[in-house]
Amino acid sequence: MQFRIGEAAKRAGCKVETVRYYEQMGLLPQPSRSEGNYRLYSEEHLAQLRFIRHCRSLDMPLEDIRNLLTLRERPREHCAEINALVDEHIDRVNSQMALLEQLRESLLTLRSQCAGPGYTDSCEIVRELSTCECHDS
Amino acid sequence: MQFRIGEAAKRAGCKVETVRYYEQMGLLPQPSRSEGNYRLYSEEHLAQLRFIRHCRSLDMPLEDIRNLLTLRERPREHCAEINALVDEHIDRVNSQMALLEQLRESLLTLRSQCAGPGYTDSCEIVRELSTCECHDS
DNA sequence: ACAATCCCTCTAGTAACTATAGAGTCAAGG
DNA sequence: CCTTGACTCTATAGTTACTAGAGGGATTGT
């Protein structure tokens, strides 16, 4: 079975442009072409595309996926590396979550400054946003 | 007191390039210039820069900040809009967190597939990433 | 024969910066 | 007076993972 790009994209749950983009980035091998120069994908191509999409649904960066694609050829030898890669990604997600949690706190505090229609002359939210007690660097 | 861009950036806790970028995006008014064509910032400029940075530290998009900068000129009249803007942002942060939480679950499940040195011939993580039970669209 | 739908390549746009190149300005030291 | 170093200027390109568009060819159905 061979698929044209539209069919491949649909089966992988992404857009046509995305498939071409992965090819351009070297994540998908160049498929054969039809007479009319259309890309023709095999089942293996499709499997690899799905692999990529699955990784992306876990928000892994393409660079990590590129590495995984290489490592998975000899999974036994590279088990440790594969785990490390996943662990690093989990760490990234964890710290992103911690950051977002802080953000949420700050925003809720900010929002509580103005609970109803203001009774002062200036907006407490604007006032709070104007004060600066923090230095990033 | 007038500051050159380096001093302004330091006081606002950001990079020099970032300050110029805000000016280019129309978030900071163009400052006066010295004889040698250096930007010269007043206290008001600095306050506005800090306002922007504070909003950014809450991860608000520049477009929202642009709106806030306008709204804050008449806070009393625009109190409701200001609140709505903050509320929307809180919603965004909330749904981002929900997404990340799901992600974390999936990643931990994935990771648990390979707890120690594998005893099978193929990596369970790679196997799981290859299976596809989901369609995004 | 013709229209609709698919596909092709190439280029530019997104958000919010960051980094670089190549040049000018300014204060202090020798 | 000259030079060195730190600072600044403009303009341009790079980052991530796509998305959107132009301008054209291929295929399919009526």
Side-chain angles (χ1 to χ4, degrees), chain A residues 107-120 122-128, chain B residues 75-76 78-84 86-87 90:
Chain A
L107 280 167
L108 290 177
T109 302
L110 176 67
R111 181 56 176 85
S112 72
Q113 302 294 308
C114 178
Y119 46 74
T120 58
S122 74
C123 179
E124 290 301 307
I125 288 184
V126 165
R127 205 177 55 69
E128 170 129 354
Chain B
R76 282 280 286 189
H78 297 302
C79 190
E81 289 166 76
I82 290 170
N83 282 337
V86 174
D87 283 344
I90 290 174

Side-chain angles (χ1 to χ4, degrees), chain A residues 26-90:
Chain A
L27 291 168
L28 266 180
Q30 296 195 325
S32 54
R33 298 283 183 135
S34 74
E35 254 186 55
N37 200 31
Y38 286 7
R39 288 171 178 81
L40 292 178
Y41 294 99
S42 65
E43 290 284 359
E44 284 80 50
H45 281 113
L46 191 53
Q48 180 146 342
L49 178 54
R50 281 184 169 136
F51 182 92
I52 296 170
R53 290 306 294 170
H54 198 159
C55 290
R56 283 297 298 141
S57 79
L58 297 171
D59 205 32
M60 285 187 195
L62 294 187
E63 193 50 43
D64 281 17
I65 301 175
R66 195 193 310 281
N67 287 333
L68 271 183
L69 285 170
T70 310
L71 294 176
R72 88 179 163 154
E73 280 163 29
R74 295 216 186 67
R76 282 279 286 189
E77 294 167 39
H78 297 302
C79 189
E81 288 166 76
I82 291 169
N83 283 337
L85 210 150
V86 174
D87 283 344
E88 270 172 47
H89 186 49
I90 290 174

